[in-house]
Amino acid sequence: MPFNAIVLSKEEKTGFSCSLKSISKQQLLAQEGDTLIQITYSSINYKDALALTNKSPVVRQWPMIPGIDGVGIVLECRSGRYQKGDIVILNGWGCGETHWGCLSQYAYLKSDWLIPLPNKLTDYQAMAIGTAGYTAGLCVQRIVDFGVKPQDGMVLVTGASGGVGSIAVALLTKLGYQVTVSTSKIEEDHYLRQLGAVNIIDGQTLKETGKPLQKELWSAVVDAVGSHTLANACAQTQYGGIVACCGLAQGMDLPATVAPFILRGVSLAGVDSVMANYDKRVAAWNLLAHNLDEKVLSHISNTITLNDCVEVANKMIAGQIKGRFVVDVNKRI
């Protein structure tokens, strides 16, 4: 039975195209995998936005169904790892880049890539969290495991109005940390304070070149911005603190010195959500499931259809959105 999916193509004569198409089950099953899933919800992340708009060479094989996130019902699993009817989550693993992803009504994936939906979450809530929230969970887990406690001082979250930042703020607040946020969207003051932010600073103040060492302000940092913002965050971190780095919204460069690391013992921890192992994924998702309530997820989430994805992607690239966008792949379009 044919189904709907967003398909990205790039041809020598016609160039890049993005359109909603009908895909056959035979085409889907020609992909590498062992588990057929009926997708209920997907989401739009920054990497999806780059793929949907062709603003960066995210896609490495053509044609491609984008969508690095998905949640759905197992229809068949040849590996035996999951049973028919199980509800599972996908985050990353090259989907939407080298393997057909989840901005589609069905996906054919490897069972090793999947984790069970935590009991405390609905499928919709899982995609309100999505890879952005799961990445935030990995960052916060890294800070907790490092030994930073709420009484050690303020935690900074950069790019706080985005998907990673929003959930990091809510999660840290729930765990008892005092959170300062930096954002270029100062007008989102009410939104961020509802998530638990204690202080709000203009993100532009971190985006310029700063001194190698600055006043010690943060016991820990969750950074999704990179470039000068990350360099300044490191320079402002307290002795023995940690900076969890997971994004590059400002840039991939790191115009910093070794001063914070060798004079203050600051640790810079890279956080990868794409290839993280099963145990790390389950731990992050359990942390999220037990510490994010329905009100927070409702506050940050918006529901769209497959037809809305390109418009949202363009706004995301332009920095014009906040929170999370859940894609109801089966909603009438």
Side-chain angles (χ1 to χ4, degrees):
M1 183 177 68
F3 60 91
N4 292 323
I6 293 178
V7 178
L8 309 180
S9 300
K10 183 177 278 189
E11 304 292 344
E12 187 174 342
K13 291 184 178 180
T14 57
F16 173 79
S17 67
C18 172
S19 58
L20 190 63
K21 292 187 176 181
S22 179
I23 303 293
S24 70
K25 183 177 179 182
Q26 288 74 19
Q27 287 175 286
L28 181 65
L29 296 181
Q31 302 294 307
E32 187 178 4
D34 57 27
T35 305
L36 179 63
I37 298 170
Q38 182 177 359
I39 301 296
T40 54
Y41 296 100
S42 184
S43 73
I44 302 291
N45 298 281
Y46 194 75
K47 185 178 285 187
D48 298 311
L50 291 172
L52 287 161
T53 59
N54 197 36
K55 296 293 186 183
S56 182
V58 169
V59 178
R60 299 174 191 176
Q61 294 181 17
W62 307 92
M64 179 57 61
I65 295 176
I68 67 174
D69 275 347
V71 62
I73 303 162
V74 173
L75 299 181
E76 57 183 69
C77 180
R78 291 192 290 108
S79 73
R81 185 166 190 165
Y82 295 101
Q83 303 301 312
K84 183 177 181 179
D86 287 346
I87 303 177
V88 293
I89 300 171
L90 169 87
N91 302 114
W93 291 112
C95 289
E97 300 174 73
T98 59
H99 188 96
W100 282 9
C102 296
L103 286 173
S104 168
Q105 293 178 309
Y106 291 86
Y108 192 53
L109 307 168
K110 293 184 180 181
S111 56
D112 288 347
W113 297 345
L114 307 170
I115 67 166
L117 176 72
N119 291 332
K120 287 179 173 282
L121 295 175
T122 66
D123 54 353
Y124 181 91
Q125 290 170 338
M127 288 299 99
I129 294 170
T131 283
Y134 149 64
T135 302
L138 289 170
C139 289
V140 173
Q141 188 71 61
R142 194 71 177 268
I143 289 169
V144 171
D145 291 344
F146 191 76
V148 177
K149 297 178 175 57
Q151 59 266 31
D152 291 335
M154 190 74 67
V155 176
L156 173 69
V157 176
T158 68
S161 59
V164 174
S166 295
I167 292 179
V169 173
L171 186 55
L172 286 162
T173 299
K174 182 70 173 182
L175 292 172
Y177 294 89
Q178 296 285 296
V179 181
T180 290
V181 302
S182 75
T183 178
S184 57
K185 302 183 182 73
I186 295 300
E187 69 276 8
E188 302 296 352
D189 178 281
H190 180 67
Y191 169 79
L192 292 166
R193 291 195 185 279
Q194 280 194 306
L195 292 176
V198 175
N199 301 309
I200 299 173
I201 61 177
D202 188 344
Q204 294 299 324
T205 63
L206 295 175
K207 288 186 175 181
E208 304 299 329
T209 302
K211 294 180 179 180
L213 284 177
Q214 301 171 36
K215 184 177 180 181
E216 297 178 57
L217 299 173
W218 325 116
S219 63
V221 178
V222 174
D223 176 67
V225 180
S227 192
H228 287 286
T229 297
L230 175 57
N232 285 318
C234 291
Q236 295 173 4
T237 299
Q238 297 170 8
Y239 188 93
I242 183 172
V243 178
C245 165
C246 66
L248 44 69
Q250 185 182 354
M252 192 179 290
D253 59 321
L254 180 55
T257 74
V258 297
F261 313 115
I262 65 173
L263 298 179
R264 289 184 180 164
V266 171
S267 293
L268 178 57
V271 175
D272 166 58
S273 63
V274 177
M275 304 299 287
N277 66 37
Y278 181 85
D279 289 341
K280 287 182 178 179
R281 288 170 182 267
V282 170
W285 274 100
N286 284 337
L287 181 72
L288 292 158
H290 285 86
N291 292 285
L292 289 178
D293 60 36
E294 186 176 349
K295 288 183 180 179
V296 167
L297 294 176
S298 296
H299 180 57
I300 67 171
S301 60
N302 307 272
T303 307
I304 62 174
T305 69
L306 287 171
N307 261 350
D308 301 320
C309 290
V310 173
E311 180 183 357
V312 169
N314 277 297
K315 290 181 178 179
M316 185 175 287
I317 296 296
Q320 297 172 348
I321 66 169
K322 64 182 180 182
R324 295 280 299 146
F325 285 79
V326 179
V327 184
D328 184 343
V329 299
N330 299 298
K331 190 173 182 180
R332 276 194 170 282
I333 50 182

